[in-house]
């Protein structure tokens, strides 16, 4: 089956409790990596992979996300009058990046529930899901790597990465035979398996390429781990039908949903910036052991 990646869903209704007090009035998706909000990095990945429409699943009090991708008249006018063309172009480029649709998830009932909320905006086509906590720095966008595999095989795809055995309980974990290209034909997938019971050490990282019938499956899914509607439980249905591939993606992944992971992501992205690299390295060399 042939399909292209046109639409992506970005769940963004979470309360960001791990980043309080920063997230009391500011959505966690707006916290910057250096000077770029994490959600802009995620949207950029989707756009580079060919997506034309982004569906943000939003919660109350998070309109800053929509504003960020909208025109900002006062700011643009001021920048233009002051002749700051570079900054003006940078600001304008953000609102021209993509068509953004926002839907509300009225209560936080889990990732599966958030994806289901995007159904009216996605309709009857294949779509990508990108989780804002997982930053993947790679030449070929990670969601594009999944789309490529999905188009070649006609199957759904999730990103997989090996993690240490003592971390599997934090993730969806998948197992199945390896295919000749190194990807996995997933036969089993479980959400946050209790310590010692994981079927493998291959963790699901927040990139998914899904068929439209996932919505009907999600409607049937009963609350699972943590009492929430889990996307993983719907993926388990696809896996049982032989319709789910685990993609061993190329790229460096950062867990920006974790304080230490967020700090490391900031340092890693800053070290790639010619204007910041030397100054940052000079500081780090001075830091006492
Ligand atoms: C979610 C998914 C989980 C996945 C993880 C990746 O969990 O439910 O399957 O492994 O994202 O980051 P969360 O981190 O939201 O608890």
């Amino acid at each position: 089956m042939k399909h292209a990646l046109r639409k992506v869903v970005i769940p963004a209704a979470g309360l960001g409790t791990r980043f309080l007090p920063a997230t009391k009035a500011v959505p966690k998706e707006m916290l910057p990596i250096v000077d770029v909000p994490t959600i802009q990095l995620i949207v950029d990945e989707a756009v580079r992979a060919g997506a034309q429409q982004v569906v943000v699943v939003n919660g109350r009090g998070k309109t800053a996300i929509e504003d960020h991708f909208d025109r900002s008249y006062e700011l643009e006018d001021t920048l233009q009058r002051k002749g700051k063309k570079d900054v003006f172009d940078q600001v304008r480029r953000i609102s021209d990046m993509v068509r953004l649709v926002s839907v509300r998830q009225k209560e936080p009932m889990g990732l599966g529930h958030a994806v289901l909320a995007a159904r009216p905006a996605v309709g009857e086509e294949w779509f990508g899901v990108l989780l804002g906590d997982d930053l993947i720095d790679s030449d070929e966008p990670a969601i594009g790597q999944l789309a490529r595999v999905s188009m070649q095989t006609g199957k759904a795809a999730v990103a997989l990465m090996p993690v240490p055995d003592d971390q599997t309980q934090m993730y969806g974990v998948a197992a199945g035979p390896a295919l000749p290209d190194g990807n996995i034909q997933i036969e089993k997938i479980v959400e946050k398996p209790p310590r010692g019971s994981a079927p493998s050490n291959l963790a699901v990282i927040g990139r998914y390429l899904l068929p439209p019938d996932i919505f009907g499956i999600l409607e049937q899914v009963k609350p699972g781990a943590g009492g929430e509607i889990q996307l993983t439980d719907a993926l388990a249905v696809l896996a049982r039908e032989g319709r789910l591939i685990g993609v061993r993606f190329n790229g460096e992944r950062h867990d920006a949903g974790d304080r230490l992971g967020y700090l490391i992501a900031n340092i890693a992205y800053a070290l790639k910036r010619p204007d910041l690299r030397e100054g940052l390295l000079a500081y780090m060399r001075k830091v006492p052991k």
Side-chain angles (χ1 to χ4, degrees):
M1 189 197 301
K2 283 265 174 287
H3 59 270
L5 177 67
R6 288 199 326 125
K7 295 182 181 175
V8 298
V9 174
I10 303 180
L15 295 173
T17 40
R18 273 192 284 180
F19 277 88
L20 282 167
T23 48
K24 190 175 170 212
V26 175
K28 75 167 176 182
E29 293 77 9
M30 292 303 295
L31 297 183
I33 302 297
V34 188
D35 48 13
V36 181
T38 50
I39 193 161
Q40 188 181 327
L41 293 173
I42 299 288
V43 168
D44 186 59
E45 179 188 324
V47 169
R48 287 198 297 130
Q52 294 155 15
Q53 183 171 314
V54 170
V55 182
V56 174
V57 183
N58 230 335
R60 283 177 288 280
K62 300 188 83 173
T63 48
I65 296 176
E66 287 153 54
D67 293 342
H68 185 71
F69 292 96
D70 197 354
R71 289 277 161 92
S72 173
Y73 178 76
E74 268 188 314
L75 177 63
E76 291 180 16
D77 185 57
T78 310
L79 291 173
Q80 243 172 349
R81 274 191 291 109
K82 291 193 169 162
K84 299 199 166 170
K85 178 137 180 23
D86 285 4
V87 197
F88 171 84
D89 287 346
Q90 196 188 23
V91 167
R92 191 39 92 73
R93 217 175 305 127
I94 301 168
S95 58
D96 287 344
M97 271 174 99
V98 78
R99 206 151 24 100
L100 188 138
V101 173
S102 155
V103 296
R104 282 283 171 103
Q105 183 186 12
K106 292 178 187 158
E107 358 167 38
M109 284 176 58
L111 179 57
H113 184 255
V115 170
L116 194 51
R119 185 181 201 169
V122 171
E124 288 300 309
E125 61 182 282
W126 288 70
F127 63 101
V129 176
L130 297 93
L131 304 189
D133 285 347
D134 289 315
L135 296 178
I136 303 178
D137 188 11
S138 57
D139 291 334
E140 182 186 8
I143 194 69
Q145 297 177 40
L146 265 65
R148 184 163 47 75
V149 171
S150 175
M151 282 179 234
Q152 281 161 1
T153 58
K155 297 181 182 186
V158 296
L160 291 184
M161 185 182 100
V163 297
D165 288 337
D166 63 354
Q167 288 178 21
T168 47
Q169 79 280 359
M170 294 160 46
Y171 294 96
V173 179
L179 299 164
D181 60 5
N183 291 328
I184 306 291
Q185 173 69 49
I186 296 178
E187 288 178 346
K188 200 167 191 287
I189 183 165
V190 280
E191 181 66 12
K192 302 196 172 74
R195 258 173 209 272
S197 74
S200 83
N201 71 336
L202 288 175
V204 174
I205 302 302
R207 298 293 182 276
Y208 308 80
L209 211 293
L210 302 173
D213 70 309
I214 197 76
F215 293 124
I217 299 172
L218 278 168
E219 274 180 335
Q220 305 296 320
V221 163
K222 302 265 176 321
E228 299 186 329
I229 306 289
Q230 297 293 349
L231 180 58
T232 302
D233 293 341
L235 296 177
V237 175
L238 297 180
R240 275 198 297 277
E241 295 170 355
R243 295 168 61 203
L244 185 63
I245 305 286
V247 176
R248 300 285 305 271
F249 61 95
N250 291 312
E252 194 187 356
R253 177 255 182 180
H254 296 285
D255 180 2
D258 167 79
R259 282 191 183 84
L260 181 60
Y262 176 75
L263 285 172
I264 292 172
N266 268 283
I267 292 170
Y269 280 77
L271 287 174
K272 293 178 76 167
R273 289 261 298 254
D275 56 331
L276 298 171
R277 183 180 171 84
E278 285 313 315
L280 182 56
L281 281 175
Y283 171 73
M284 289 196 300
R285 283 191 199 105
K286 274 191 333 212
V287 175
K289 284 241 162 65

